[in-house]
Amino acid sequence: MYLHRYSDCSASFQKCVTLNNWSHALYYYIAGVAHVEEYRLHKASNPKLAQVHAKKAADLLNIVPQHTGKKKFMARQLPFDIFVLRKIRKWEHRAKEWGVEFVDAVGVSPIEEMIYFWNGYKRMRPEHLETSLARLAWSQSSANPLWAREGLDEHAILHVLRAATLRNLGRTGEAKELLKREIISHEWSSFKGHLKDNWTLPVAHYEMAVNLWTEMDAERSDRAMLRECSGWLEKVGGWESYELDARIGLKVTTARDTLKKYDAGAA
């Protein structure tokens, strides 16, 4: 997945289904969205091959709902099961509403989304990060005639993933400006609604903190930056419920515990 070898990625996650029974819904989801990327890569240059990948994507993603809700943790449904089922319902709704094929109703690169949630960007070499930027750029390109129909939530997914990629390339100034201009400038209420992705605004706040931490010297001697970093984390820590909040919350808790070592209070 992190190497952008999408067919290999799909085959590997399908193999995972045979190796354990933890989260088959997530495995099938990743296997399916990997073929969405292959479809996009070949759509203009080799339409016949693209359609092969479109069918594989649809077939795999259609399996996902059959496997959601079967595994529970502390008597609750797995957060990623909830997440992937909502994504598929969202794409089905858009396909019907827009009158397009299912694969064309998929939004901003869901494989890049998974890379982010699995902390993949920090494991990538610069050339792989550049590939991620190129794959994200597809959404706004002329190859995607449906971008004009996308709402704020999909725009925010694109920008938060792009910002995270830029941060890992060391381009923190660009990342912070992008987060502030394209996501943080919007009201929280704009991200709420049926089938919407509502995780991007709190994650953008978390990313602001990480950018500031990255910009500090090794001794973390800049008290003002430490306070600002803590302030962004405090906002995320006090956020109301949102999708995958437990996963993001673990990152926030770890970050806040780290800042305590430097006696950094929120600004």
Side-chain angles (χ1 to χ4, degrees):
M1 184 162 65
Y2 305 157
L3 294 172
H4 305 283
R5 289 160 44 184
Y6 302 118
S7 291
D8 288 344
C9 172
S10 181
S12 296
F13 276 98
Q14 289 178 73
K15 181 67 173 178
C16 286
V17 174
T18 69
L19 298 176
N20 70 70
N21 61 358
W22 178 243
S23 184
H24 288 182
L26 180 59
Y27 299 155
Y28 280 121
Y29 177 83
I30 296 175
V33 297
H35 282 289
V36 172
E37 291 297 329
E38 290 280 19
Y39 166 74
R40 292 175 175 180
L41 281 168
H42 298 290
K43 186 178 179 181
S45 61
N46 192 337
K48 186 175 180 179
L49 178 58
Q51 286 305 312
V52 171
H53 287 294
K55 185 178 186 307
K56 288 181 179 180
D59 288 346
L60 288 163
L61 291 170
N62 283 336
I63 296 172
V64 172
Q66 304 169 26
H67 295 276
T68 57
K70 292 188 175 182
K71 284 292 178 181
K72 297 186 184 297
F73 180 71
M74 298 180 67
R76 300 179 67 180
Q77 192 171 348
L78 300 179
F80 266 128
D81 277 13
I82 298 171
F83 177 81
V84 300
L85 182 60
R86 180 197 55 78
K87 296 288 282 194
I88 290 170
R89 296 302 182 224
K90 178 181 182 179
W91 301 336
E92 290 173 340
H93 175 77
R94 285 147 54 105
K96 183 177 180 180
E97 183 179 42
W98 295 352
V100 298
E101 294 297 322
F102 174 76
V103 71
D104 290 317
V106 175
V108 173
S109 177
I111 203 78
E112 292 294 330
E113 203 173 42
M114 282 293 115
I115 289 172
Y116 178 80
F117 285 126
W118 284 33
N119 296 316
Y121 291 138
K122 68 186 295 184
R123 297 178 173 88
M124 288 183 180
R125 296 198 300 266
E127 61 266 33
H128 300 140
L129 291 166
E130 292 291 351
T131 300
S132 284
L133 287 177
R135 299 312 310 137
L136 290 168
W138 180 91
S139 289
Q140 289 179 304
S141 73
S142 58
N144 178 22
L146 297 173
W147 183 246
R149 295 189 178 190
E150 295 289 11
L152 173 62
D153 66 327
E154 287 290 335
H155 285 231
I157 294 171
L158 173 64
H159 296 308
V160 79
L161 296 178
R162 182 175 282 159
T165 310
L166 290 171
R167 169 173 61 78
N168 281 278
L169 281 167
R171 295 158 62 181
T172 54
E174 293 174 68
K176 289 191 298 182
E177 177 59 31
L178 188 62
L179 292 166
K180 289 179 181 178
R181 183 181 69 247
E182 303 292 350
I183 307 174
I184 296 171
S185 61
H186 295 279
E187 294 293 328
W188 170 230
S189 59
S190 302
F191 294 88
K192 296 181 179 181
H194 182 55
L195 298 178
K196 284 186 177 181
D197 285 83
N198 68 2
W199 56 271
T200 51
L201 186 56
V203 166
H205 284 69
Y206 168 76
E207 280 291 319
M208 285 296 297
V210 179
N211 275 290
L212 287 163
W213 180 262
T214 303
E215 289 175 341
M216 282 184 261
D217 58 50
E219 290 74 32
R220 316 296 177 189
S221 58
D222 190 321
R223 305 302 298 174
M225 289 185 73
L226 282 169
R227 287 193 296 272
E228 185 181 355
C229 182
S230 181
W232 287 108
L233 292 174
E234 288 295 325
K235 290 178 182 178
V236 187
W239 215 279
E240 64 180 88
S241 177
Y242 58 92
E243 198 166 40
L244 297 179
D245 53 5
R247 191 174 189 87
I248 303 303
L250 288 173
K251 294 184 177 185
V252 172
T253 298
T254 301
R256 291 168 76 177
D257 288 344
T258 301
L259 283 176
K260 287 178 183 177
K261 298 176 184 178
Y262 297 90
D263 192 29

